[in-house]
Amino acid sequence: MDHVLNALGQPVGRPLPGWTAPPRPPRGPLAGRFCRLEPLEPEKHGPELFQANSLDTVGRLWTYLPYGPFDSLEAYLGWMRAGCLGEDPLFFAIIENTGGKALGVASYLRISPPDGVIEVGHINFSPPLQRTPAASEALYLLFELVFRLGYRRLEWKCDALNTPSRAAAERLGFRFEGVFRQAVIYRGRNRDTAWYSIIDSEWPRLDSAWKRWLSPSNFDSRGRQRERLSDLTADSLERNA
């Protein structure tokens, strides 16, 4: 039950006795089997990221982001220095373990410890990182830390026309909550925003599903998955319903 009745007989949200605001995510590394995340440093990670992003010769990476593409390394580093070094958004570089190169970025943003709410966004995976176990594991590392710190709600938002991002949200275990119409203007065009979330009561089962998918036993000798993450997270959400 998500509400109670107050002394006037009105429905109000359930109380949260003992609730304590979680800490802000630390600016520190996160390590996995396929990848690691490091706080983004323009001079350290920028050249590798720019090179990896340049493999997208048509600019598909940037269609649904409010910035980019960048026509030079210096322009890319300038954007990083101006907007990626603060605490919110808190940017990370994604380093693929096998090659040791930075191949993508992601961030925490709209961080609200008093409400226990945090969003993951600014996700940009270069072509070499896309559709790899490292890409999925990078997001798991971010999600797991959110709930380990004590947050109640993790959000994912995207342009409602961004079909790949919406499919990714569902594959990763997020629940669709609706579309905010005419929510944002970017690149001189309208954006209807699709909202997704995972809440703390759902996370333990999703965490188990993720760990099962990431287990070495789930990948054959050629690195191909035996069980699909989308199947495991969908089953987890059905059991949480």
Side-chain angles (χ1 to χ4, degrees):
M1 188 174 182
D2 61 359
H3 68 272
V4 296
L5 299 180
N6 67 9
L8 301 175
Q10 299 167 307
V12 296
R14 59 184 173 85
L16 300 172
W19 162 252
T20 301
R24 299 181 69 84
R27 181 181 289 279
L30 297 168
R33 187 162 69 92
F34 298 104
C35 72
R36 67 183 185 277
L37 278 65
E38 298 177 354
L40 185 63
E41 297 181 29
E43 278 66 36
K44 178 179 180 181
H45 303 117
E48 291 178 352
L49 289 167
F50 183 77
Q51 182 181 27
N53 290 339
S54 69
L55 297 175
D56 169 28
T57 58
V58 298
R60 188 178 299 273
L61 287 174
W62 310 99
T63 300
Y64 298 107
L65 291 169
Y67 43 77
F70 301 94
D71 58 7
S72 69
L73 173 59
E74 191 52 43
Y76 188 45
L77 295 179
W79 168 77
M80 285 185 173
R81 295 179 190 121
C84 300
L85 300 180
E87 297 300 318
D88 190 348
L90 177 58
F91 271 86
F92 293 86
I94 301 166
I95 294 91
E96 194 270 327
N97 282 341
T98 300
K101 291 186 176 182
L103 299 179
V105 300
S107 79
Y108 293 125
L109 68 157
R110 303 185 190 279
I111 303 167
S112 179
D115 300 308
V117 177
I118 193 169
E119 181 180 345
V120 168
H122 293 288
I123 297 165
N124 196 359
F125 294 165
S126 69
L129 184 60
Q130 293 171 13
R131 294 179 292 278
T132 66
S136 296
E137 184 184 53
L139 295 174
Y140 169 74
L141 293 172
L142 291 170
F143 300 170
E144 192 277 334
L145 178 60
V146 164
F147 292 106
R148 177 156 44 92
L149 290 174
Y151 284 81
R152 304 174 61 235
R153 173 181 168 88
L154 173 64
E155 296 180 339
W156 178 291
K157 305 186 187 84
C158 62
D159 191 314
L161 298 176
N162 187 348
T163 303
S165 183
R166 298 188 67 169
E170 294 177 5
R171 171 179 173 267
L172 299 171
F174 286 82
R175 289 186 186 270
F176 175 59
E177 295 185 326
V179 172
F180 281 32
R181 299 177 299 164
Q182 297 186 185
V184 176
I185 296 173
Y186 75 131
R187 296 188 181 273
R189 64 180 188 245
N190 174 67
R191 182 178 112 164
D192 296 345
T193 298
W195 283 57
Y196 295 82
S197 72
I198 298 171
I199 59 175
D200 53 357
S201 61
E202 297 165 342
W203 179 247
R205 288 187 183 275
L206 284 170
D207 186 39
S208 295
W210 273 94
K211 287 175 177 173
R212 180 169 170 177
W213 185 79
L214 287 166
S215 170
S217 63
N218 189 45
F219 295 88
D220 65 18
S221 58
R222 297 175 63 183
R224 296 175 300 190
Q225 62 181 354
R226 293 189 167 95
E227 291 186 283
R228 297 190 306 174
L229 179 60
S230 57
D231 292 337
L232 295 173
T233 55
D235 179 64
S236 170
L237 289 176
E238 287 177 6
R239 287 184 288 144
N240 270 310

